[in-house]
Amino acid sequence: MSSPTTPDLVVTGGTVISHDGRRRQDIAVADGRILAVGDNLLAPGVPTIDATGLLVLPGLVDMHVHLREPGMTEKEDFASGTSAAAAGGVTTVVDMPNTKPPVATAERYRQKLDLVKNKAYVDFGLYGMLDHDNSDEIADMAELGAMGFKLFMGQTTGDNRCPNDAAIFRGLEAAAAADLVVGVHAENDHLLRMFGDRLQASGRKDPRAHLEGRPAFVEVEAITRIITMATEAKTKLHIHHLSTAAGLQRVMDLRAQGHRVSVEALVSHLFLDEDAYDTYGNLIKLNPPIRPASDVAALWDGIDRGDVDIIATDHAPHTAHEQTETDVWKAYGGFIGVETMLPLMLTAAAQGKLTVEDIVRLCSYTPAQRWSMANKGQIAPGFDADFVLVDPGAEVVLDQNSLHSKHNVTPYDGWALTGSVVATYLRGGLVYEKGEVVGAPRGRQVQPARTPADSVR
């Protein structure tokens, strides 16, 4: 079947942002794909979108969300979570497997896919879990389209049992055989539980106790161990939510020795530091925790140097009631973020911390490359027509009541932001405009190419 040569939509007048530059260009779309990017692409009778004065970005790819389905839909579900993504200019999300039950078998993967596939307002991928005894399930989950596998080396929501090193290595070998990325929550579980028990025994219940119970070396130790094992197993490795200067330095040291690994920083670890505990309390409890300002500065420096590869959200909703808990040991970790990522990053760009091109590279191009999404992350011929219209100069005060998650409590409520999402398009179709999610769910499952060019690190 030949490719279409006549567009069915043209975006005109906007400045197209890529990971390595910008140019005022038209974008021609046909059958949900980019047909051409260039000058003077308007055609008689073809519908147009006037993007004059706006930036046109590839839809963001958030590789780290928890949409809580199945088993925890009182917190969020696929419909509400992907609505929030569309409103935030995120056109692809990849959902974590620590649901109830955990997605640790091919049957559970199949059940989850059947449950969510008709509810998504944006495209989505699903992780499987690398569990304590499921290495024989990895290949079957890969055949069902798993984007990769998540390994929890430290406890988080769901209280998933953390595998021992032998189980981890078997899982790494199986993931390598499937040619898929293993993403890691890198904290030493035994140590963080020991420190937490000590603090609880001393009577500490305040929010900062969570930070003190997860010191930086707990992350450093886990990073060292998992990178060493992944190299031996020849596994593609990604460190989720790296949070400390010491952890980033260890990654840099190991890279210098020839180890290959990609690194992710969270929006929350870039915009909040430990002083925020005094303002927000347990609302900002996070695993790993919000860190001191020196760690925040180190992450921004790592972005500037190119040592941080990806920015994600760890969108992790809980009910509004749960987020009022004052005892840190009873409070849940995590808060929403998929809708606020792009406005916060645009604000950082307006402040000179990075460029909009950097945002595209960190939040769209590199995630799509790393996880072998063949048609995502670029505004270029042949790619899906996923794009976001952005007003870079809009001055906005964030109002959590306007957010689209099931529970819209956020520490960024009332923050003054520069830059806003005007409209979001998924495969050429409008999914969000002027504060409203548009139309019925039309998101599709995204699967990785199984023979990718692994260009990261």
Side-chain angles (χ1 to χ4, degrees):
M1 182 176 179
S2 60
S3 299
T5 57
T6 302
D8 49 45
L9 178 70
V10 174
V11 183
T12 186
T15 299
V16 178
I17 309 294
S18 70
H19 61 284
D20 58 1
R22 63 176 67 195
R23 184 179 175 187
R24 186 168 176 174
Q25 293 177 307
D26 295 344
I27 304 168
V29 176
D31 290 346
R33 295 282 183 93
I34 305 292
L35 178 64
V37 181
D39 300 326
N40 303 315
L41 298 181
L42 293 175
V46 175
T48 63
I49 299 169
D50 184 2
T52 301
L54 303 178
L55 305 181
V56 188
L57 279 62
L60 271 57
V61 178
D62 190 346
M63 294 304 305
H64 193 159
V65 302
H66 299 264
L67 301 187
R68 303 304 194 199
E69 194 165 1
M72 292 181 275
T73 52
E74 74 280 3
K75 302 173 186 286
E76 187 81 287
D77 58 38
F78 245 71
S80 60
T82 56
S83 294
V90 177
T91 53
T92 304
V93 296
V94 183
D95 191 47
M96 290 292 174
N98 56 322
T99 47
K100 292 182 179 178
V103 184
T105 69
E107 181 58 28
R108 287 179 183 174
Y109 186 98
R110 187 181 294 109
Q111 290 171 352
K112 178 171 178 174
L113 179 60
D114 289 344
L115 181 66
V116 306
K117 64 184 179 182
N118 295 319
K119 300 178 181 180
Y121 285 87
V122 300
D123 286 351
F124 67 93
L126 302 177
Y127 288 104
M129 183 178 287
L130 200 164
D131 206 346
H132 61 280
D133 61 355
N134 75 330
S135 59
D136 58 347
E137 296 280 347
I138 298 296
D140 289 341
M141 284 192 278
E143 287 301 317
L144 291 170
M147 286 303 306
F149 300 96
K150 179 67 179 287
L151 166 63
F152 293 93
M153 297 177 76
Q155 185 273 328
T156 190
T157 298
D159 200 21
N160 303 291
R161 178 178 168 186
C162 299
N164 63 35
D165 286 350
I168 289 173
F169 194 78
R170 289 193 297 269
L172 292 172
E173 289 180 317
D179 200 22
L180 293 178
V181 176
V182 172
V184 181
H185 178 137
E187 292 183 288
N188 182 304
D189 188 63
H190 293 291
L191 290 175
L192 65 87
R193 288 180 185 273
M194 181 188 74
F195 290 128
D197 289 345
R198 286 179 179 177
L199 286 161
Q200 288 185 70
S202 74
R204 292 283 298 279
K205 296 182 179 181
D206 58 288
R208 287 177 186 264
H210 182 65
L211 169 61
E212 292 177 32
R214 298 173 100 107
F217 89 93
V218 171
E219 179 175 83
V220 172
E221 188 280 333
I223 285 170
T224 306
R225 182 159 40 103
I226 194 59
I227 292 177
T228 303
M229 286 195 286
T231 297
E232 185 65 26
K234 298 180 172 59
T235 310
K236 298 174 185 175
L237 187 70
H238 177 73
I239 305 298
H240 288 292
H241 49 46
L242 186 141
S243 65
T244 65
L248 182 57
Q249 184 60 54
R250 180 57 54 89
V251 167
M252 293 162 60
D253 292 343
L254 289 168
R255 281 174 173 166
Q257 296 173 24
H259 297 273
R260 302 184 74 211
V261 58
S262 56
V263 168
E264 162 194 306
L266 296 185
V267 173
S268 48
H269 285 137
L270 295 171
F271 286 85
L272 300 169
D273 64 32
E274 68 172 321
D275 289 344
Y277 291 112
D278 300 329
T279 303
Y280 303 109
N282 289 331
L283 171 58
I284 62 161
K285 181 181 177 182
L286 190 65
N287 301 325
I290 301 300
R291 298 288 188 180
S294 57
D295 291 303
V296 177
L299 293 179
W300 279 111
D301 288 344
I303 290 169
D304 187 56
R305 293 190 307 267
D307 293 321
V308 173
D309 304 288
I310 288 166
I311 292 175
T313 67
D314 197 0
H315 176 85
H318 300 287
T319 69
H321 174 72
E322 287 169 340
Q323 292 187 306
T324 64
E325 176 60 59
T326 58
D327 183 336
V328 72
W329 309 115
K330 296 178 181 178
Y332 287 95
F335 49 90
I336 60 174
V338 71
E339 188 169 349
T340 54
M341 172 166 62
L342 183 50
L344 286 165
M345 296 308 300
L346 291 168
T347 301
Q351 296 169 345
K353 292 183 177 180
L354 77 175
T355 66
V356 182
E357 290 87 343
D358 290 331
I359 297 173
V360 170
R361 174 175 53 82
L362 292 157
C363 303
S364 190
Y365 174 79
T366 303
Q369 290 282 304
R370 181 56 164 159
W371 275 267
S372 304
M373 300 180 193
N375 302 313
K376 300 295 186 183
Q378 299 182 58
I379 297 177
F383 283 75
D384 286 353
D386 301 343
F387 56 88
V388 188
L389 305 185
V390 165
D391 182 348
E395 299 291 340
V396 179
V397 175
L398 196 152
D399 178 3
Q400 66 183 20
N401 294 318
S402 70
L403 301 179
H404 292 76
S405 283
K406 187 171 286 190
H407 297 277
N408 52 14
V409 181
T410 172
Y412 310 120
D413 184 44
W415 283 33
L417 304 178
T418 301
S420 68
V421 175
V422 175
T424 305
Y425 290 79
L426 178 70
R427 285 177 274 106
L430 181 67
V431 292
Y432 170 83
E433 185 178 37
K434 297 178 181 177
E436 300 293 333
V437 176
V438 177
R442 58 191 304 269
R444 300 174 183 170
Q445 183 190 16
V446 177
Q447 300 184 39
R450 297 298 296 278
T451 54
D454 182 11
S455 60
V456 178
R457 306 299 172 188

